[in-house]
Amino acid sequence: LTMPDSKKFFENLSGAGKAIGVLTSGGDAQGMNAAVRAVVRMGIYVRAKVYFIHEGYQGMVDGGDNIKEATWESVSSMLQVGGTVIGSARCKDFRTHEGRLRAALNLVRLGITNLCVIGGDGSLTGANLFREEWNGLLKELVELGQIDEAAAEMHSVLHIVGMVGSIDNDFCGTDMTIGTDSALHRIIEVVDAIMTTAQSHQRTFVLEVMGRHCGYLALVSALACGADWVLIPEMPPEDGWEDQMCQKLSENRADKKRLNIIIVAEGAIDSHNRVITTDYVKDLVVGCLGFDTRVTILGHVQRGGTPSAFDRILASRMGVEAVLALLEASSDTPACVVSLCGNQAVRLPLMECVQMTQAVQKAMDKKNFEEAVKLRGRSFENNLNTYKLLSYRKTDSVMPKSAFNVAVLNVGAPAAGMNAAVRSAVRVGITEGHTMFAVHDGFEGFSNGQIKEIKWGDVGGWTGQGGSLLGTKRTLPVKHMDKIAEQMRIHNINALLVIGGFEAYLGLLELLAARFRHPELCVPMVMIPATVSNNIPGSDLSIGADTALNAITATCDRIKQSASGTKRRVFIIETMGGYCGYLATVGALAAGADAAYIYEEPFDIRDLQCNVEHLTEKMKTSIQRGLVLRNECCNDNFTTDFIYQLYSEEGKGVFDCRKNVLGHMQQGGAPSPFDRNYGTKIAAKAMQWISKKLKEFYVEGRVFANTEDSACLLGMRRRALVFQPVTQLKDETDFVHRIPKEQWWLKLRPLMKILAKYKTSYDVSDAGQLEHVAGLRTIEENGREKEGEEE
């Protein structure tokens, strides 16, 4: 699929004559292989030579067979493998001057002056030191007669780009490190399994998760499973916490809750810097309450297993970005680290990030925990604030009481994570003093009066449930407007929170249009996007899409594996999404597919022919299987059957074909940690907005809101969560095909094609720009005026 302007890309950024070394170092993390694969393929794509450096820095020091040229095929089949295929090791030799001298010699001999390091902060600090010493090391090698002056001159600058691979998410400057999301998957799988046994026996479980210096995994898994108590190093409990914890556990048990879960980060401490162990917590619960209590230490399970869809996409995006950064680097560019901020790739000076990461530890040593949390970054701070909001239930006597009633409903098709959002909204609403009402079966249930007050205990255990426990329907409100207005009056509903897909968006627009006829609808309304299709204007991501992507990715892995040994097979897989190609495109990137057909990028018979030829060429290599994804509504005539038959006919004698329609399995299943956490955070933010608007619009004893900004959609836009009036989103919407007119993920399509060996143009203008860590906050503050509220 050669594009006419593909020259533009090559002229600007050619890697011809350059050599890139890629290594993984420090503790392993799921997704490292996806990053290695992306670096290798993008490197080869821009005509650079790429070398594997096996066993981390140890391999660089030892040289020989440890440094091997990588080929396109050598990174095939590693996307779905956990850990790191090229090996990782702790290396004492590299810490010595002699070791670094040997490493420099090994690199110069092969002409490698570009290094891509995937590891934790220790590995990246080592890389930076190596870079600073590079000239001195070359001089020394010349003096020792091991290289000549010409070689030293030719290789005088070493460029370094880092990617952070660490399950702890303990590196400042990036929202997510490679491996964190997969580790959360492992933890949540265990918690979900433990919950069933704990409920059967009325047990308390104390779980220890990894994170010696960082409580991210503990904090997010506590949010994602609704744990009763969490202990993390950044928030040591105050003196007397033991009694508070036991009191909370016994209150929950009295509330008919059959299980209690306490999550402890391995680095958890109290306010006197004393370590809090799982055994101490267990003895406390048994001694104080006599509850049947068990301890589970998750250990290295968290590092293992196949990487999640999120980690594969993150690592693939970072790997491509890392190669671009190396190609654009000049002699005075600082070593940088490629990271993710919100939904955007950015480049940050490596040492600034390392210094900030070290500053966190210093702040914690000085017991300055507030400072430590701030330094950890916005993502960590938001999680902590949401946890605090949801964690402690005030007793009725101290509960603030507002006069407001807020209704929550689900609209459209079910999406995993909806229940987490409802739970969060209900509990935050109660904490803010409102009376919360649950509407069953969407707008249809609303018109029939299926409205009940919902209390704190009613939403216990909801975060891990898939589908929609409130019931959801696709019915739009327009035909039932009179009845809905009547129900609003009967129950005195002062605000609405709508969680759902495209129907929820249309429904909000209809309610807004009916305000002039029905004053009852003049109340604050906010919508949270929840749909597997991820087709809502005003939001980069919807609740449920991550779970669906994981289902697609896991199935594609299995399907690819089913061909191992049978040789030469191409699979045509149909994904959901209506007219929106998000699942097909991003699923293709995560599963390592050869092509993805979508409505947003029209294709004709020539493209199909080109793909068949491409696969025929591929079958001549050692990679003898292909994967093609097709979005369900991408083309009326080129149906899944048609494409299957075309490929079968054209591939005769070269490969055979199979087809799979994934169907509703993409909509089911327990929500992924990302969807639980995203649903929890976004719903909490929506409820706080509702509280603010209720006060604003409360005049003369009643709530009256008829301005544009009183009916909003809350969505993730690049770096921030933003409230946008739904009327303003109309211009951005293709109502016929139920998709936004502009979709950010279309920029990921060239990546998918490049990684599948197609020549294509890659728009470099959207690549990450170098920013300063210290300046991150100020950039955000400045952006807030333009973008609405920050996350």
Side-chain angles (χ1 to χ4, degrees):
L1 293 173
T2 312
M3 307 277 178
D5 58 349
S6 60
K7 266 202 211 82
K8 179 185 78 180
F9 173 62
F10 282 116
E11 278 164 14
N12 292 354
L13 283 181
S14 169
K18 293 191 178 181
I20 299 171
V22 59
L23 71 143
T24 51
S25 170
D28 65 320
Q30 309 96 318
M32 279 182 163
N33 290 324
V36 170
R37 170 182 178 266
V39 169
V40 169
R41 291 197 166 171
M42 186 66 176
I44 292 171
Y45 185 84
V46 297
R47 297 188 301 222
K49 275 186 168 182
V50 187
Y51 289 88
F52 288 138
I53 300 172
H54 291 273
E55 310 308 332
Y57 287 119
Q58 193 64 56
M60 201 194 290
V61 174
D62 295 345
D65 276 350
N66 288 306
I67 307 179
K68 280 198 189 112
E69 189 172 348
T71 64
W72 192 274
E73 289 157 51
S74 62
V75 291
S76 172
S77 300
M78 66 195 270
L79 196 56
Q80 61 268 36
V81 181
T84 164
V85 171
I86 59 174
S88 179
R90 310 266 180 213
C91 175
K92 286 200 180 104
D93 292 349
F94 193 73
R95 294 185 177 181
T96 66
H97 183 74
E98 292 71 34
R100 293 194 289 277
L101 194 65
R102 274 161 54 204
L105 177 63
N106 289 327
L107 294 188
V108 172
R109 278 180 176 159
L110 293 165
I112 300 171
T113 53
N114 295 282
L115 273 189
C116 190
V117 182
I118 306 160
D121 60 344
S123 310
L124 299 182
T125 312
N128 195 60
L129 173 68
F130 190 41
R131 178 178 177 271
E132 285 169 357
E133 290 183 352
W134 184 253
N135 277 91
L137 293 170
L138 294 197
K139 273 191 191 125
E140 226 173 301
L141 290 170
V142 171
E143 283 160 19
L144 291 167
Q146 295 186 308
I147 60 170
D148 56 24
E149 288 279 1
E153 185 58 38
M154 205 171 136
H155 305 107
S156 61
V157 182
L158 178 68
H159 297 300
I160 284 178
V161 172
M163 284 182 264
V164 191
S166 154
I167 65 164
D168 292 342
N169 204 24
D170 57 355
F171 193 80
C172 294
T174 182
D175 285 356
M176 286 293 261
T177 57
I178 296 168
T180 306
D181 186 67
S182 302
L184 285 171
H185 272 260
R186 296 301 92 78
I187 294 169
I188 294 304
E189 280 160 20
V190 171
V191 174
D192 285 354
I194 277 176
M195 278 186 158
T196 53
T197 174
Q199 262 177 326
S200 313
H201 293 278
Q202 287 206 348
R203 273 197 186 129
T204 298
F205 270 89
V206 184
L207 245 77
E208 182 184 288
V209 301
M210 279 186 171
R212 211 166 312 148
H213 306 293
C214 178
Y216 185 90
L217 289 179
L219 178 60
V220 175
S221 48
L223 264 178
C225 73
D228 298 79
W229 201 265
V230 68
L231 294 157
I232 59 170
E234 292 87 348
M235 186 181 67
E238 293 160 12
D239 289 348
W241 65 273
E242 293 93 340
D243 297 337
Q244 270 186 320
M245 182 182 79
C246 290
Q247 188 189 343
K248 183 171 180 194
L249 295 180
S250 69
E251 276 172 17
N252 284 350
R253 202 50 81 84
D255 222 4
K256 310 237 176 3
K257 189 175 179 186
R258 293 180 59 87
L259 78 157
N260 303 107
I261 290 202
I262 300 163
I263 294 182
V264 184
E266 63 179 324
I269 46 171
D270 66 14
S271 53
H272 305 287
N273 274 14
R274 288 184 301 237
V275 175
I276 300 174
T277 65
T278 43
D279 285 332
Y280 177 70
V281 176
K282 176 193 168 174
D283 296 343
L284 203 66
V285 176
V286 173
C288 180
L289 301 169
F291 287 174
D292 184 0
T293 307
R294 298 280 192 276
V295 169
T296 301
I297 294 172
L298 296 192
H300 283 74
V301 165
Q302 296 158 84
R303 280 194 192 282
T306 182
S308 65
F310 182 94
D311 271 331
R312 298 181 195 196
I313 293 148
L314 172 71
S316 299
R317 283 176 74 178
M318 281 185 175
V320 168
E321 186 68 41
V323 173
L324 292 179
L326 283 171
L327 295 182
E328 289 173 11
S330 62
S331 55
D332 53 358
T333 314
C336 79
V337 60
V338 175
S339 79
L340 182 82
C341 185
N343 190 24
Q344 201 178 0
V346 291
R347 299 175 195 171
L348 302 166
L350 186 134
M351 283 324 285
E352 286 182 23
C353 295
V354 169
Q355 279 151 8
M356 201 158 159
T357 304
Q358 289 164 350
V360 174
Q361 199 48 52
K362 284 180 191 144
M364 280 164 65
D365 293 342
K366 288 181 185 157
K367 298 192 184 177
N368 190 347
F369 296 105
E370 266 180 43
E371 177 68 9
V373 168
K374 275 209 163 23
L375 286 167
R376 278 260 182 257
R378 241 181 30 185
S379 163
F380 190 91
E381 219 178 327
N382 285 333
N383 284 315
L384 193 54
N385 292 338
T386 308
Y387 179 78
K388 284 177 181 167
L389 251 177
L390 288 165
S391 67
Y392 204 64
R393 177 181 179 178
K394 299 182 178 82
T395 52
D396 290 336
S397 53
V398 293
M399 187 74 86
K401 237 353 196 177
S402 75
F404 300 125
N405 297 338
V406 181
V408 183
L409 67 157
N410 290 344
V411 177
M418 275 181 163
N419 300 321
V422 172
R423 168 190 178 269
S424 172
V426 166
R427 291 195 169 176
V428 172
I430 291 171
T431 307
E432 305 253 312
H434 311 316
T435 306
M436 299 299 296
F437 285 90
V439 180
H440 294 269
D441 297 339
F443 288 118
E444 197 173 302
F446 209 144
S447 66
N448 297 333
Q450 291 168 255
I451 305 169
K452 261 206 203 102
E453 187 181 344
I454 185 164
K455 294 202 158 79
W456 187 281
D458 298 337
V459 289
W462 277 33
T463 38
Q465 304 278 334
S468 162
L469 292 168
L470 286 185
T472 180
K473 287 257 167 79
R474 290 178 181 269
T475 318
L476 290 171
V478 70
K479 291 179 185 154
H480 310 278
M481 211 55 90
D482 297 345
K483 281 181 167 178
I484 288 173
E486 188 188 349
Q487 291 298 333
M488 294 276 289
R489 193 177 65 252
I490 292 168
H491 293 91
N492 187 23
I493 304 292
N494 310 113
L496 275 185
L497 173 62
V498 185
I499 302 165
F502 207 82
E503 286 86 3
Y505 169 60
L506 293 174
L508 215 55
L509 286 169
E510 288 176 5
L511 292 175
L512 204 57
R515 274 179 171 176
F516 71 96
R517 281 205 325 277
H518 300 287
E520 297 88 349
L521 300 174
C522 295
V523 298
M525 304 176 188
V526 64
M527 174 199 160
I528 295 173
T531 161
V532 298
S533 307
N534 198 25
N535 61 333
I536 307 297
S539 191
D540 289 359
L541 298 167
S542 309
I543 297 167
D546 184 70
T547 307
L549 271 181
N550 277 298
I552 292 168
T553 308
T555 311
C556 287
D557 286 352
R558 286 187 173 192
I559 285 172
K560 274 161 81 173
Q561 204 175 36
S562 76
S564 81
T566 54
K567 298 289 181 239
R568 299 200 180 145
R569 183 161 282 173
V570 174
F571 295 93
I572 318 286
I573 295 169
E574 182 187 302
T575 64
M576 272 185 165
Y579 283 96
C580 178
Y582 176 80
L583 289 179
T585 297
V586 184
L589 190 58
D594 296 278
Y597 299 120
I598 61 168
Y599 164 77
E600 292 90 342
E601 194 175 281
F603 58 100
D604 59 20
I605 196 73
R606 285 180 293 280
D607 297 314
L608 291 169
Q609 182 62 35
C610 167
N611 293 144
V612 172
E613 285 164 11
H614 184 268
L615 282 163
T616 307
E617 280 306 301
K618 185 180 175 181
M619 295 298 164
K620 292 175 186 166
T621 70
S622 60
I623 316 168
Q624 299 185 337
R625 51 156 204 270
L627 193 62
V628 174
L629 269 58
R630 179 190 172 275
N631 164 250
E632 57 184 354
C633 296
C634 65
N635 189 299
D636 289 346
N637 296 312
F638 297 144
T639 59
T640 304
D641 280 335
F642 175 89
I643 292 174
Y644 163 69
Q645 286 164 351
L646 176 83
Y647 272 64
S648 298
E649 181 60 36
E650 293 292 314
K652 262 188 189 156
V654 184
F655 58 80
D656 63 351
C657 267
R658 296 286 183 274
K659 68 167 193 246
N660 277 67
V661 176
L662 298 186
H664 281 74
M665 60 154 277
Q666 296 161 83
Q667 223 162 36
S672 67
F674 181 90
D675 278 332
R676 297 180 193 200
N677 191 21
Y678 185 50
T680 300
K681 273 201 291 203
I682 198 169
K685 196 171 175 71
M687 280 311 300
Q688 288 174 311
W689 178 87
I690 282 177
S691 295
K692 199 171 90 193
K693 292 290 174 197
L694 283 169
K695 289 190 191 101
E696 249 174 62
F697 293 112
Y698 186 68
V699 188
E700 293 174 10
R702 59 176 285 214
V703 174
F704 186 80
N706 65 348
T707 55
E708 264 195 5
D709 69 346
S710 63
C712 279
L713 180 144
L714 172 56
M716 162 73 81
R717 275 274 165 105
R718 287 178 86 92
R719 289 190 178 189
L721 282 172
V722 193
F723 289 95
Q724 304 142 98
V726 281
T727 47
Q728 288 177 19
L729 294 173
K730 276 173 152 169
D731 295 341
E732 297 179 27
T733 312
D734 170 351
F735 285 99
V736 177
H737 299 101
R738 300 159 61 96
I739 51 174
K741 286 178 185 168
E742 279 189 26
Q743 315 216 55
W744 68 272
W745 50 264
L746 284 168
K747 293 198 172 102
L748 297 181
R749 283 186 68 77
L751 296 195
M752 178 201 83
K753 290 175 188 166
I754 286 168
L755 297 176
K757 217 174 182 175
Y758 286 96
K759 294 278 176 271
T760 179
S761 69
Y762 183 63
D763 177 9
V764 193
S765 60
D766 196 51
Q769 301 306 311
L770 195 65
E771 296 177 3
H772 290 285
V773 182
L776 272 180
R777 288 247 157 198
T778 48
I779 290 167
E780 289 307 334
E781 316 293 1
N782 299 343
R784 209 182 318 173
E785 282 79 43
K786 294 196 286 286
E787 288 218 84
E789 286 192 47
E790 75 157 340
E791 185 187 339

